[in-house]
Amino acid sequence: VNTKKEFFGKIIIVGKSNVGKSTLFNKLLERKISITSSKSNTTQKILTGIHTVNEYQSIYIDTPGIVKRNKSFLKKLDKVINKLNLVLFVVEHIIWNYNDENILNKLKNYNIPILLVFNKIDKLNNKKLLLPHINFLLNKFNFYKFIPVSSKKNQNIHNLSKIIQHFLPQESHQHSNNYFTNSSFEFIISEMIREKFIRNLNKEIPYTVKVLINSLKINQQKEYIIYGLVLVNNNRHKKIVIGSKGIKIKLCNIQATKEIEKFVNKKVKLFLKVIKK
Ligand SMILES: Nc1nc2c(ncn2[C@@H]2O[C@H](COP(=O)(O)OP(=O)(O)OP(=O)(O)O)[C@@H](O)[C@H]2O)c(=O)[nH]1
Ligand SMILES: [Mg+2]
């Protein structure tokens, strides 16, 4: 019989687009599962990551930036939020606008503790501005705590994860120690590829690019042979995604290959084909 005390809980990460939710998610999980980029709306699907340290097991949920038109996401939120133990509401240091306000108004409907995370604190030169801003926010809602972090520079992340542990109820772990996501292997690989297109493309095209894994095999030399489809809206997009003499798709392929190799710890051969949806 296992008599060891175990703690287990679920934490959702919300916030408007581009505040660094996925970067934070990866840092809390200590591995990269969610893709990130400087462009808005990078994350398009809810993603789950599991992190186990000794007696603590946390399930983190990364979400697309909440925007008004994202009705289906808000509906999903309604369904899951009551089963969660904590909300990490991520904002960009002391920047607060109507998008953040909308999210707060949505969260107020639920009876669940909220930690306000001031991310990208490395970008705030005058740290003295934090205190008046906290007072401003306290007038709006009784946040459980305010935590400044830099996800990119890994500042104060450890402290945040310690604080999160306090919110995990005593409960048996639901997963084995080495289980880290319920996303499929193919999905993670396709996201790694999509990330390179998002990062290397400009303007409106990045969001419309979809990536599908057509086949994934391991050959006798233990190399991963991956065939992927890059789906675009029209011929104009196809041209841009391929680039002159294929320069853009080659660049994305090289970068994605490196990333997948790190992930699977094996040699990877990636073949990408661009087609119209
Ligand atoms: N300077 C700085 N940049 C950061 C920090 N955290 C994230 N970023 C950058 O902010 C950009 C957005 O990061 P993401 O993690 O993709 O943001 P997100 O909130 O998940 O965005 P969506 O998925 O589009 O909603 C990326 O360029 C990150 O490198 C930080 O602490 N400091
Ligand atoms: Mg994201």
Side-chain angles (χ1 to χ4, degrees):
V1 190
N2 188 1
T3 49
K4 210 177 76 191
K5 262 192 191 178
E6 290 190 334
F7 299 87
F8 171 84
K10 297 183 183 176
I11 302 104
I12 192 166
I13 302 176
V14 299
K16 69 176 180 230
S17 194
N18 208 41
V19 291
K21 297 179 295 299
S22 300
T23 310
L24 175 66
F25 173 85
N26 291 334
K27 285 287 151 64
L28 287 167
L29 287 165
E30 297 184 278
R31 73 165 80 221
K32 183 170 165 184
I33 299 176
S34 191
I35 64 169
T36 67
S37 91
S38 60
K39 300 182 180 89
S40 289
N41 301 315
T42 299
T43 305
Q44 296 186 341
K45 271 190 195 165
I46 291 180
L47 208 69
T48 299
I50 298 116
H51 189 236
T52 311
V53 184
N54 305 323
E55 64 269 42
Y56 298 101
Q57 184 165 77
S58 322
I59 297 200
Y60 288 104
I61 303 163
D62 188 19
T63 63
I66 301 182
V67 276
K68 262 194 190 156
R69 62 193 148 83
N70 204 338
K71 287 239 169 68
S72 69
F73 171 66
L74 288 176
K75 265 195 198 144
K76 274 187 201 151
L77 190 66
D78 272 335
K79 276 194 195 149
V80 298
I81 204 150
N82 289 319
K83 297 175 195 142
L84 306 175
N85 302 96
L86 180 67
V87 174
L88 299 182
F89 181 11
V90 183
V91 295
E92 185 165 337
H93 55 84
I94 61 166
I95 298 171
W96 181 268
N97 66 22
Y98 65 94
N99 287 319
D100 303 291
E101 193 82 40
N102 277 336
I103 293 167
L104 178 60
N105 286 334
K106 181 81 195 156
L107 293 173
K108 275 179 181 170
N109 297 325
Y110 307 105
N111 186 19
I112 175 168
I114 305 176
L115 296 187
L116 195 98
V117 179
F118 298 118
N119 191 34
K120 307 198 188 184
I121 205 70
D122 56 293
K123 282 172 86 176
L124 178 68
N125 292 326
N126 186 356
K127 305 280 192 282
K128 281 185 185 153
L129 294 172
L130 264 179
L131 201 60
H133 186 60
I134 288 173
N135 283 324
F136 162 77
L137 291 177
L138 272 174
N139 278 323
K140 294 183 179 292
F141 186 75
N142 188 13
F143 291 101
Y144 213 91
K145 243 189 172 77
F146 298 91
I147 303 144
V149 302
S150 170
S151 301
K152 197 172 181 174
K153 305 204 161 165
N154 218 345
Q155 289 166 356
N156 217 24
I157 301 293
H158 185 70
N159 185 31
L160 172 59
S161 57
K162 287 277 162 210
I163 294 167
I164 292 169
Q165 287 179 349
H166 294 303
F167 289 88
L168 305 178
Q170 193 179 335
E171 212 172 285
S172 315
H173 293 180
Q174 287 193 356
H175 304 283
S176 62
N177 287 0
N178 53 9
Y179 185 75
F180 62 89
T181 183
N182 60 7
S183 295
S184 73
F185 186 64
E186 276 84 359
F187 178 71
I188 294 182
I189 302 284
S190 71
E191 284 287 277
M192 287 174 169
I193 299 167
R194 192 169 68 85
E195 181 188 75
K196 304 313 171 196
F197 285 97
I198 294 181
R199 289 189 178 183
N200 289 307
L201 292 167
N202 295 318
K203 299 216 178 85
E204 85 277 23
I205 304 171
Y207 322 112
T208 63
V209 171
K210 302 263 177 296
V211 175
L212 287 177
I213 302 301
N214 227 357
S215 100
L216 196 157
K217 288 189 184 115
I218 304 169
N219 68 12
Q220 285 179 332
Q221 290 82 46
K222 298 260 156 63
E223 296 168 330
Y224 279 71
I225 312 297
I226 304 168
Y227 285 87
L229 290 179
V230 182
L231 308 178
V232 296
N233 279 351
N234 54 47
N235 281 327
R236 188 174 67 84
H237 286 184
K238 186 171 169 178
K239 260 191 175 163
I240 297 169
V241 165
I242 293 172
S244 107
K245 295 187 180 142
I247 190 154
K248 188 126 271 175
I249 188 153
K250 266 182 209 150
L251 175 70
C252 294
N253 190 322
I254 290 168
Q255 292 177 350
T257 302
K258 267 195 197 153
E259 178 118 23
I260 301 166
E261 282 182 341
K262 257 204 286 181
F263 183 65
V264 299
N265 210 3
K266 287 275 172 330
K267 196 137 183 56
V268 168
K269 284 187 181 139
L270 177 64
F271 301 92
L272 295 174
K273 190 174 174 182
V274 184
I275 59 166
K276 227 169 71 174
K277 276 179 204 163

